[in-house]
Amino acid sequence: MFSVEKFAEKVFKIRFFEESLENLFQDQKIFGTFHRCIGQEAVAVAFTLNLDNEKDFVVSNHRNHGHYLAFKEKYQSLYDELRGKDNGVSFGNGGSQVLMQNNFFSNGILGTTISIATGIAMGFKLKKLNNMVVCFLGDGALGPGITYESFNLASLYKLPILFVIENNGIAQTTLLKDSLAGDINKRLDAFGIKIHDTVGDDIDGMIKLGYNLISEIKSQNGPQAVHVKLNRLCAHSKGDDFNNNKIFNKINDPIDNLEKKIDKKTFNQIREKSKKFIDNFVKSFYK
Amino acid sequence: MKFLDRVNHGLDYFLSKDINNFIIGEDLLDPYGGAFKATKNLSKKYPSQIIGTPISESSFVGLAIGMTFSKNNVVVEIMFSDFLAIISDMLINTASKINLINNDLMQGKLFIRTPNGGRRGYGPIHSQSLEKIFFGFSEIKLISLNRAVDPYETYKKIFSDQYKSKINLILETKIDYPKKMITDQDFEKNGFKKNFIEIGLGITELYNQETKNDKSDFLFLCYGGMLEETLNAATKLFIEEELTSKILLPHQINPIEDQLINEIHSNKFDKLIVVEENTVDNSWGSLILSKLLKTQKNTNLSLDDIILLGSSTELISANIEKENNNLINSEKIFESLVNLK
């Protein structure tokens, strides 16, 4: 059974994982590119919390570390992937963006992943399996046409899929207000996909919504969507753009809200335990 | 039996084989049965296994890829091969990367089949041969059916459990659909004997009846609908000029199989002629040529002995006369070769 302490531990571990990458990159322990999810961790945890991590499926995008770690919790595999080792998530060949392992799939060609998610959900439905897909997409993926083709297919075929739109208000360096016309929710509504609003620091709200939607989708056919406003509290990639990306001023760092929900001593213990957990992985890079 | 009927039988066999086999695409359901009627009567017979789609080629190819994750085999019909440009992203950046990174994810197989080529007056965006987009991607298997070998038998091989390739793109020449299969007797009337080399999906070998083991003037390589144009040119070269030919017609055109290259090297000929409806630049011929260059040291084959023939880079016009002028045909093949000797 879930507890807020367990939730906080998952969030902290993902946060410290993401923070560890900066030094590892600077020290040339990992290479290539990566896209961190600092500030977005609680969404990944909330909407994977009630999934069956053996039978359900998570589809993600380039900003995928949080989704993978929340769902699969295989930190060693992801670190190994980032250093190109054979026992990494994608056998060291996919790197940060392209994670393909059992029931987790991510790719950085935005929009195309949504069609793959619909296909996986279609496979579940045709086989009459009680499994579902959670498909994370960012506001940037609202640009490509294949996104809307896929929403159409998901609704038309009544597929068991939850679209989680992580709207951080910025795609690389382009603000959402400069790239999106109209209204996000109305776009989903036009395809007959029920969409729910939440924010990335509303821990209780997201947990409740995630639980209810996953139960509903598994018991009734048809996709639903969540529009989560949240802040990406880091650069798009490795510090190649403006760092002050807090677009939605009223939305807090989810860790600040978790702190208010847990007594100080326990909160500090969780933070220290999580930090130590990640530090042990990091140390292995310097041996 | 018409070529189209044999394709239809092949698809019928696919659906009958396993309830987890599906065909998806635009306008496939009866009574229409597909733009070229390849799926006619199949949705009546297998109503749960044929899935009609909206006009969304990219996403329904993505849908098919995702469906393979749970052990479904999926045939996707792309209405015209011109639309391969639309789905190329899904095949190159998704399907092929899945196969190269984690081959276990796609537990079923993907078969994309599409009517290819021109000569129907359909104009510039319904007549092209765009398979060149995928040349060089080793994990995307390109197969071209032809009228010398029953497509039903070829599809049975492709749909068999022994056939392992997970990403398959199958070209059916659209002008072949209403035509009958070319029988051994038909070939003999043209002075040719047929032999089928049972390697992989097979290579059809046609040779002037008198010359099986002799040196021929020309060794032709072609695929799909180019069989008819090449055969007509080779027949005319023999009747009018007494120039002999052998034709090699593989089913698999990408990646190029070593067996095809071995066949080229083991034959005796003066000129190697690669014929395709594609344009010559960045072509199947150039793919063959690059393979031959790697193995050239074992033979006496010189670049002067190789001729690549294809269509003009001009627009494929909806004006049938202009279309004929721009596409390679038997007359152009004949004219290109008759004065070489």
Side-chain angles (χ1 to χ4, degrees):
Chain A
M1 187 60 190
F2 134 86
S3 69
V4 70
E5 290 79 11
K6 188 72 190 160
F7 190 98
E9 187 179 328
K10 281 188 140 192
V11 169
F12 264 127
K13 283 179 177 173
I14 297 169
R15 174 68 58 92
F16 290 133
F17 176 92
E18 293 289 59
E19 288 181 349
S20 75
L21 300 185
E22 192 160 5
N23 284 339
L24 289 173
F25 183 77
Q26 281 171 4
D27 292 345
Q28 298 189 357
K29 301 294 182 187
I30 57 175
F31 300 90
T33 192
F34 52 73
H35 308 89
R36 298 181 297 166
C37 67
I38 292 173
Q40 305 187 182
E41 302 90 338
V43 179
V45 178
F47 291 99
T48 56
L49 202 60
N50 296 298
L51 292 178
D52 182 327
N53 64 8
E54 294 294 324
K55 293 178 179 172
D56 293 322
F57 214 113
V58 170
V59 173
S60 174
N61 50 21
H62 60 301
R63 202 171 303 286
N64 53 6
H65 300 167
H67 307 144
Y68 176 78
L69 295 173
F71 184 51
K72 303 297 284 184
E73 299 191 275
K74 294 184 177 177
Y75 285 78
Q76 185 69 58
S77 294
L78 188 52
Y79 273 123
D80 284 344
E81 183 61 33
L82 296 179
R83 68 209 292 194
K85 289 179 74 170
D86 291 348
N87 49 350
V89 181
S90 297
F91 308 100
N93 293 317
S96 166
Q97 296 189 76
V98 184
L99 303 180
M100 298 177 179
Q101 185 185 61
N102 304 328
N103 53 343
F104 187 91
F105 177 92
S106 70
N107 192 333
I109 309 288
L110 299 188
T112 62
T113 54
I114 307 167
S115 71
I116 299 298
T118 60
I120 296 164
M122 184 76 151
F124 289 158
K125 181 170 180 172
L126 290 168
K127 286 254 178 358
K128 297 185 170 55
L129 299 171
N130 191 32
N131 306 337
M132 67 171 288
V133 180
V134 170
C135 176
F136 290 96
L137 59 144
D139 50 279
L142 297 172
I146 192 171
T147 298
Y148 303 97
E149 292 182 17
S150 305
F151 287 157
N152 186 48
L153 294 181
S155 186
L156 187 69
Y157 300 134
K158 296 184 171 53
L159 300 179
I161 181 164
L162 175 63
F163 298 111
V164 180
I165 301 171
E166 296 174 298
N167 174 9
N168 58 26
I170 189 167
Q172 193 146 343
T173 64
T174 303
L175 294 174
L176 186 66
K177 69 180 179 61
D178 297 327
S179 65
L180 185 123
D183 183 277
I184 291 174
N185 291 19
K186 285 180 182 170
R187 292 186 182 197
L188 276 292
D189 192 48
F191 290 103
I193 298 174
K194 194 173 176 186
I195 184 158
H196 310 263
D197 283 304
T198 187
V199 285
D201 64 352
D202 180 3
I203 307 297
D204 291 339
M206 287 197 297
I207 290 170
K208 191 177 171 191
L209 191 57
Y211 179 82
N212 289 341
L213 291 180
I214 287 167
S215 303
E216 266 183 45
I217 290 169
K218 284 195 172 189
S219 61
Q220 307 159 14
N221 278 331
Q224 297 201 45
V226 180
H227 177 185
V228 194
K229 282 186 181 160
L230 73 177
N231 286 309
R232 183 186 91 204
L233 301 173
C234 58
H236 161 71
S237 184
K238 302 180 304 291
D240 58 350
D241 59 46
F242 317 103
N243 280 305
N244 183 17
N245 286 323
K246 190 170 179 182
I247 306 294
F248 301 110
N249 286 323
K250 290 181 182 170
I251 300 172
N252 292 326
D253 183 334
I255 287 180
D256 292 345
N257 282 14
L258 279 167
E259 191 171 10
K260 293 173 194 163
K261 299 173 66 64
I262 303 169
D263 70 80
K264 193 170 182 179
K265 186 182 170 193
T266 309
F267 182 81
N268 287 338
Q269 282 174 343
I270 295 168
R271 181 169 58 196
E272 290 314 306
K273 181 185 170 191
S274 305
K275 181 80 171 64
K276 200 172 169 186
F277 175 79
I278 292 298
D279 284 349
N280 281 333
F281 289 107
V282 173
K283 278 179 198 163
S284 71
F285 281 83
Y286 295 90
K287 281 180 181 168
Chain B
M1 188 71 92
K2 288 176 186 170
F3 182 87
L4 178 65
D5 297 328
R6 303 308 288 165
V7 170
N8 179 270
H9 274 64
L11 298 175
D12 190 327
Y13 168 79
F14 172 71
L15 294 175
S16 70
K17 195 168 178 283
D18 193 326
I19 198 164
N20 297 308
N21 290 352
F22 296 91
I23 302 180
I24 72 171
E26 298 155 357
D27 300 295
L28 303 185
L29 304 182
D30 291 310
Y32 190 62
F36 290 90
K37 315 300 174 200
T39 55
K40 194 154 185 64
N41 295 326
L42 297 183
S43 69
K44 280 185 201 157
K45 201 167 170 184
Y46 309 96
S48 64
Q49 289 171 263
I50 301 225
I51 300 167
T53 64
I55 302 167
S56 310
E57 285 84 1
S58 291
S59 61
F60 70 68
V61 169
L63 184 88
I65 295 167
M67 285 168 68
T68 67
F69 284 22
S70 47
K71 296 184 182 170
N72 298 300
N73 298 310
V74 189
V75 168
V76 181
E77 176 171 299
I78 297 295
M79 193 184 283
F80 287 93
S81 65
D82 308 73
F83 309 156
L84 293 179
I86 299 170
I87 67 161
S88 61
D89 184 36
M90 294 310 302
L91 294 186
I92 292 169
N93 280 323
T94 299
S96 75
K97 300 305 175 279
I98 294 170
N99 263 256
L100 291 168
I101 288 172
N102 187 347
N103 194 35
D104 292 335
L105 269 186
M106 283 178 67
Q107 294 181 43
K109 290 179 255 183
L110 175 69
F111 307 96
I112 303 213
R113 43 168 294 277
T114 189
N116 199 34
R119 301 171 211 276
R120 289 279 298 257
Y122 284 171
I125 44 87
H126 279 33
S127 308
Q128 300 169 93
S129 300
L130 294 184
E131 58 270 23
K132 62 164 71 177
I133 297 170
F134 304 100
F135 288 159
F137 290 98
S138 59
E139 62 288 350
I140 302 175
K141 196 165 277 190
L142 258 70
I143 298 151
S144 182
L145 305 181
N146 60 66
R147 288 201 296 133
V149 184
D150 186 346
Y152 171 71
E153 297 299 333
T154 308
Y155 268 131
K156 273 176 76 174
K157 282 185 193 172
I158 292 170
F159 296 144
S160 73
D161 297 337
Q162 289 71 39
Y163 184 78
K164 299 298 179 194
S165 174
K166 289 189 176 175
I167 310 172
N168 305 283
L169 175 51
I170 301 141
L171 307 171
E172 298 163 2
T173 304
K174 65 169 77 78
I175 58 161
D176 283 347
Y177 282 143
K179 295 179 182 172
K180 289 183 176 173
M181 300 304 298
I182 304 175
T183 63
D184 290 359
Q185 291 74 25
D186 294 330
F187 285 122
E188 281 170 20
K189 279 182 207 160
N190 282 296
F192 280 84
K193 284 268 190 192
K194 179 177 135 187
N195 177 41
F196 189 67
I197 304 166
E198 291 270 7
I199 297 286
L201 293 175
I203 301 169
T204 302
E205 181 185 46
L206 301 164
Y207 52 91
N208 283 123
Q209 291 179 23
E210 298 83 356
T211 61
K212 178 165 176 40
N213 298 312
D214 298 337
K215 184 178 180 181
S216 60
D217 294 297
F218 303 114
L219 176 64
F220 286 98
L221 290 182
C222 63
Y223 61 85
M226 279 296 96
L227 165 62
E228 192 170 335
E229 302 298 334
T230 304
L231 183 65
N232 289 342
T235 303
K236 191 172 175 186
L237 286 164
F238 185 66
I239 292 172
E240 295 186 10
E241 308 291 333
E242 294 187 353
L243 294 169
T244 57
S245 298
K246 186 181 257 193
I247 300 171
L248 293 176
L249 181 77
H251 274 123
Q252 183 176 317
I253 60 170
N254 182 74
I256 304 282
E257 291 171 297
D258 290 343
Q259 182 64 27
L260 181 64
I261 300 302
N262 293 341
E263 283 295 323
I264 296 169
H265 287 316
S266 64
N267 272 281
K268 290 175 276 181
F269 55 89
D270 278 343
K271 299 283 182 193
L272 175 67
I273 320 294
V274 185
V275 187
E276 61 197 301
E277 191 165 308
N278 198 353
T279 54
V280 170
D281 297 332
N282 181 24
S283 61
W284 190 59
S286 56
L287 201 61
I288 297 275
L289 195 54
S290 70
K291 273 276 196 181
L292 286 173
L293 286 171
K294 286 181 192 164
T295 53
Q296 189 190 15
K297 62 187 175 197
N298 301 326
T299 71
N300 296 320
L301 195 61
S302 132
L303 282 177
D304 293 337
D305 299 328
I306 303 171
I307 296 169
L308 309 184
L309 296 177
S311 296
S312 135
T313 54
E314 301 290 317
L315 185 80
I316 303 176
S317 174
N319 175 311
I320 199 87
E321 196 176 323
K322 286 185 186 171
E323 180 182 35
N324 285 337
N325 284 338
N326 289 339
L327 296 179
I328 187 79
N329 58 30
S330 60
E331 281 302 313
K332 289 177 189 172
I333 299 168
F334 178 83
E335 292 301 329
S336 302
L337 304 179
V338 68
N339 294 321
L340 288 178
K341 299 294 291 184

